[in-house]
């Protein structure tokens, strides 16, 4: 799949939303699988799992950020990294060592057309994996449902990153994660 096709798929997802139920396997026609989508006002991010059959290249996860200008979504950029082992298998918090695991971040400038170098405004994204116990993730006033594969993505345009709350099926808070702070390694029981 070429870059133009991925961009068109991102625009379709921004317009129509993620498929329900979330895809959990690659189909024969595509080498990518949509993993997550988040919108916050006029900024958004879409993530994909890429896999090239038989090429020997490990799967990777890519995030692409967008800014809505004059009613149209404009691509800002993106990036990605290696996918975890068995990326579509959901893990328990015991296996992961925590309820939410941040495995990738990205940042794109959204006002690159400004005349002077200062005053840049940014679109930030974080790619996370939620353990099997997490049903939803609260991001400020937004609540994101966790798909069966456990991957979520969060976008924000503010200077400070949001604090996430991992929610159980009954709505109780299992854990919090401040996206402005480095993740603290999980403590191991001796």
């Amino acid at each position: 799949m070429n870059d133009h096709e991925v961009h068109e798929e991102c625009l379709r997802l921004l317009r129509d939303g993620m498929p329900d139920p979330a895809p959990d396997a690659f189909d024969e026609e595509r080498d990518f699988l949509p993993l997550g989508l988040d919108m916050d006002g006029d900024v958004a991010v879409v993530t994909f799992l890429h896999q090239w059959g038989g090429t020997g290249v490990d799967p990777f996860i890519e995030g692409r950020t967008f800014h809505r200008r004059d009613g149209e979504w404009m691509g800002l950029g993106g990036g990605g990294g290696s996918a975890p082992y068995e990326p579509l298998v959901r893990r328990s918090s015991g296996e992961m060592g925590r309820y939410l695991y941040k495995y990738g971040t990205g940042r794109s400038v959204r006002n690159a057309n400004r005349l002077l170098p200062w005053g840049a405004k940014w679109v930030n994204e974080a790619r996370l994996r939620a353990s099997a116990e997490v049903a939803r993730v609260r991001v400020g006033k937004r609540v994101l449902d966790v798909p069966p594969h456990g991957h979520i993505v969060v976008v924000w345009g503010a200077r400070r990153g949001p604090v996430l709350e991992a929610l159980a099926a009954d709505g109780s808070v299992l854990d919090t994660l401040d996206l402005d702070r480095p993740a603290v390694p999980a403590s191991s029981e001796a």
Side-chain angles (χ1 to χ4, degrees):
M1 171 150 287
N2 66 41
D3 194 52
H4 177 72
E5 291 170 320
V6 173
H7 181 76
E8 289 301 314
E9 180 68 6
C10 286
L11 293 177
R12 186 190 69 70
L13 291 168
L14 289 169
R15 182 185 64 243
D16 301 338
M18 287 291 289
D20 187 23
D24 60 358
F26 290 94
D27 65 28
E28 296 172 7
E29 300 172 9
R30 296 191 218 183
D31 57 2
F32 72 97
L33 185 74
L35 284 182
L37 164 70
D38 186 31
M39 291 186 209
D40 184 21
D42 64 349
V43 296
V45 63
V46 178
T47 55
F48 290 95
L49 176 65
H50 291 271
Q51 176 177 296
W52 290 278
T55 63
V57 176
D58 289 337
F60 72 96
I61 295 175
E62 175 185 8
R64 293 188 178 210
T65 54
F66 293 84
H67 178 228
R68 189 177 4 228
R69 289 186 219 147
D70 302 322
E72 298 290 325
W73 287 109
M74 308 299 289
L76 298 176
S82 297
Y85 176 70
E86 295 181 333
L88 297 174
V89 175
R90 191 111 178 241
R91 308 276 185 225
S92 71
S93 60
E95 292 173 290
M96 289 177 42
R98 58 178 35 102
Y99 291 102
L100 290 175
Y101 175 71
K102 180 174 68 172
Y103 62 83
T105 60
R107 190 175 198 203
S108 302
V109 69
R110 73 171 166 180
N111 62 339
N113 61 346
R114 66 195 184 286
L115 295 175
L116 300 171
W118 50 85
K121 294 184 179 178
W122 300 92
V123 175
N124 303 281
E125 61 149 311
R127 295 180 295 279
L128 303 110
R129 203 160 191 197
S131 71
E133 298 87 352
V134 180
R136 288 175 298 286
V137 174
R138 186 173 15 236
V139 184
K141 295 179 181 179
R142 302 189 319 273
V143 177
L144 308 174
D145 289 326
V146 178
H149 52 63
H151 293 274
I152 60 168
V153 63
V154 175
V155 68
W156 68 97
R159 286 182 155 197
R160 181 150 167 52
V163 174
L164 310 181
E165 292 179 318
L167 305 175
D170 66 2
S172 62
V173 176
L174 298 170
D175 197 7
T176 61
L177 177 65
D178 185 342
L179 291 180
D180 259 1
R181 297 188 180 271
V184 177
S187 61
S188 59
E189 305 264 338

